[in-house]
């Protein structure tokens, strides 16, 4: 066999034995940002700062008044003489009223993570912040949808610009427990006592 044919046959056998080698680029289109690009969150895993400013106030009042009087009299006479007399009287008064007033205000800043980019371009974000002050755990949880146009150049969005926002503020500790009604009071209220 010709030496050049032997070399060619060896090269073909070597190529068949090893998988094809592909060159990979260091450039990845899905993660690339230009040097002059802004720092706005736009893909899953990016972080976004949310300034929570929620202020709510509600007042509700009701007054109720009812009156009912029923009289029933019966008299049995025989001639000029009264043999039996009976009377029944039913009456009832009810006055009720109530007033509820609630004001709440929450001011905080927390950082959330982009969970998903929806087909319309909105970002589904979620995050939790936990702070312990004087052995009281305070936890703020936020979820919602953010339009990229509402994100400022500093990668900050206001909570009032978040669609379908769910903001939860919970406290755990002695002060939070003292603000809740006792179990026996809840039972008495349930029974109407």
């Amino acid at each position: 066999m010709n030496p050049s044919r032997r070399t060619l046959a060896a090269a073909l056998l070597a190529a068949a034995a090893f998988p094809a080698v592909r060159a990979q680029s260091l450039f990845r289109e899905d993660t690339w940002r230009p040097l002059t690009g802004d720092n706005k969150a736009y893909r899953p895993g990016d972080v976004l700062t949310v300034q929570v400013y929620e202020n709510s106030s509600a007042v509700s009042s009701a007054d109720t008044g009812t009156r009912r009087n029923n009289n029933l009299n019966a008299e049995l006479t025989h001639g000029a003489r009264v043999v039996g007399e009976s009377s029944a009287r039913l009456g009832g008064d009810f006055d009720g009223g109530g007033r509820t007033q609630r004001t709440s205000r929450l001011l905080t800043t927390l950082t959330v993570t982009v969970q998903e980019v929806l087909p319309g371009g909105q970002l589904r974000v979620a995050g939790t912040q936990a702070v312990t002050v004087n052995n009281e755990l305070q936890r703020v949880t936020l979820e919602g949808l953010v339009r990229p146009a509402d994100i400022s150049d500093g990668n900050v969005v206001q909570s009032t610009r978040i669609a379908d926002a769910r903001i939860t503020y919970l406290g755990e500790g002695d002060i939070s427990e003292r603000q809740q009604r006792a179990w026996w009071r809840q039972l008495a209220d349930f029974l109407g006592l």
Side-chain angles (χ1 to χ4, degrees), residues 11-156:
L12 288 173
L13 281 173
F18 295 106
V21 177
R22 292 188 179 143
Q24 290 185 345
S25 173
L26 297 176
F27 170 76
R28 288 185 51 199
E29 188 174 339
D30 59 336
T31 61
W32 182 78
R33 271 195 189 182
L35 294 175
T36 57
D38 58 18
N39 292 328
K40 292 182 182 181
Y42 73 97
R43 63 180 176 223
D46 285 354
V47 295
L48 174 66
T49 301
V50 179
Q51 290 180 340
V52 179
Y53 177 74
E54 296 296 327
N55 199 5
S56 63
S57 178
V59 176
S60 176
S61 62
D63 289 318
T64 304
T66 61
R67 306 275 184 272
R68 180 179 296 196
N69 287 316
N70 297 317
N71 290 322
L72 176 65
N73 292 320
E75 188 176 280
L76 180 62
T77 59
H78 182 64
R81 197 175 73 154
V82 175
V83 176
E85 189 172 321
S86 177
S87 176
R89 179 180 172 111
L90 298 172
D93 292 337
F94 173 77
D95 287 320
R99 180 175 172 87
T100 302
Q101 183 173 356
R102 184 172 185 94
T103 303
S104 62
R105 187 173 186 189
L106 176 61
L107 300 171
T108 189
T109 301
L110 72 143
T111 301
V112 296
T113 306
V114 175
Q115 304 294 312
E116 177 184 13
V117 179
L118 300 177
Q122 298 94 351
L123 308 174
R124 188 173 61 80
V125 297
T128 299
Q129 178 186 50
V131 178
T132 302
V133 178
N134 294 334
N135 292 326
E136 292 277 325
L137 177 65
Q138 307 295 320
R139 181 171 308 178
V140 179
T141 303
L142 184 138
E143 297 176 8
L145 299 175
V146 176
R147 292 185 316 168
D150 292 332
I151 301 173
S152 73
D153 292 336
N155 199 35
V156 177

